[in-house]
Amino acid sequence: MSVKERKERERAERERLIVTTARELAEQQGWDAVTTRRLAERIEYSQPVLYSHFRGKREIIGAVALEGAAELAAAVRAATSAESEPRARVAALARAYLDFAARHPAVYDALFQLDGGLTYAREDTPEPLKDGFAALNETLGEVAGDGVEPGLFTEAFWASLHGLATLTRAGRLLPEYAERRVELLVDRLAVT
């Protein structure tokens, strides 16, 4: 291995460590606890080393969001691939999405609530975000219905899931109705 290759590998490992540590800290204590000073202490590198990878917290949030988008897409695809019927796939998608939001609140916030400097729904949207939407659209597009543009239907269904995830986490919805909400959403919006 050349010196250049070793340095590139070490740089990638440091960047991975920064993102992983930021994510862990955010999941434990919230994004307000994620500062470059605290990250530098936790990873045992100086703040200038952090700044050589990311210009600041905003870019770190963006990196966590991109990682989270890939994980969410994988979770949705895994859940939907286990089902053969369209309705069951949509229900599995909804459950996987809501489960991801509940299990990874800081990542979910990085994806959909915080400014990570990423563009959404545009030509220059990063590929992991496009793929996250594609994972939803693969299942939801097939139940959009006649005369309904699949991407538009996916946006509407996704917005409903986001509302459920956000309101549930904020304690604004009764927990005992969680499954009934999924069933209602699937039956009323995604009836095939």
Side-chain angles (χ1 to χ4, degrees):
M1 172 183 303
S2 72
V3 172
K4 181 182 177 189
E5 289 171 331
R6 182 182 52 78
K7 287 185 178 198
E8 287 173 1
R9 185 190 56 172
E10 289 171 355
R11 179 172 177 75
E13 288 171 1
R14 269 194 315 273
E15 191 166 299
R16 176 87 239 115
L17 178 62
I18 293 166
V19 171
T20 300
T21 304
R23 182 176 173 165
E24 289 170 357
L25 185 57
E27 292 290 4
Q28 293 165 1
Q29 299 177 29
W31 278 105
D32 287 342
V34 179
T35 64
T36 54
R37 177 172 299 195
R38 191 170 282 157
L39 283 174
E41 289 170 4
R42 286 218 175 177
I43 66 170
E44 299 177 345
Y45 283 101
S46 67
Q47 284 182 309
V49 170
L50 262 77
Y51 286 116
S52 74
H53 291 273
F54 300 99
R55 286 182 283 193
K57 182 176 176 177
R58 181 179 185 217
E59 285 189 2
I60 294 169
I61 290 169
V64 170
L66 293 176
E67 183 178 272
E71 291 172 11
L72 178 57
V76 165
R77 285 186 174 115
T80 58
S81 70
E83 301 295 339
S84 59
E85 298 297 318
R87 186 196 178 283
R89 280 194 297 279
V90 174
L93 177 149
R95 289 184 192 102
Y97 184 98
L98 295 171
D99 181 60
F100 182 89
R103 285 186 302 111
H104 306 289
V107 174
Y108 191 82
D109 284 349
L111 265 166
F112 303 120
Q113 303 289 101
L114 301 174
D115 178 10
L118 304 173
T119 58
Y120 289 78
R122 293 194 340 220
E123 192 70 30
D124 60 340
T125 298
E127 283 306 314
L129 299 179
K130 287 180 181 178
D131 188 54
F133 184 80
L136 299 175
N137 197 45
E138 289 162 8
T139 294
L140 295 170
E142 69 183 38
V143 298
D146 293 337
V148 178
E149 200 279 310
L152 177 62
F153 179 78
T154 297
E155 287 177 346
F157 198 92
W158 174 27
S160 297
L161 289 174
H162 176 70
L164 288 176
T166 303
L167 291 170
T168 297
R169 189 164 127 207
R172 303 290 198 268
L173 301 175
L174 295 171
E176 61 266 25
Y177 293 142
E179 183 57 29
R180 287 179 60 194
R181 278 188 209 95
V182 169
E183 295 297 322
L184 180 65
L185 184 63
V186 171
D187 289 340
R188 300 295 182 193
L189 280 182
V191 172
T192 56

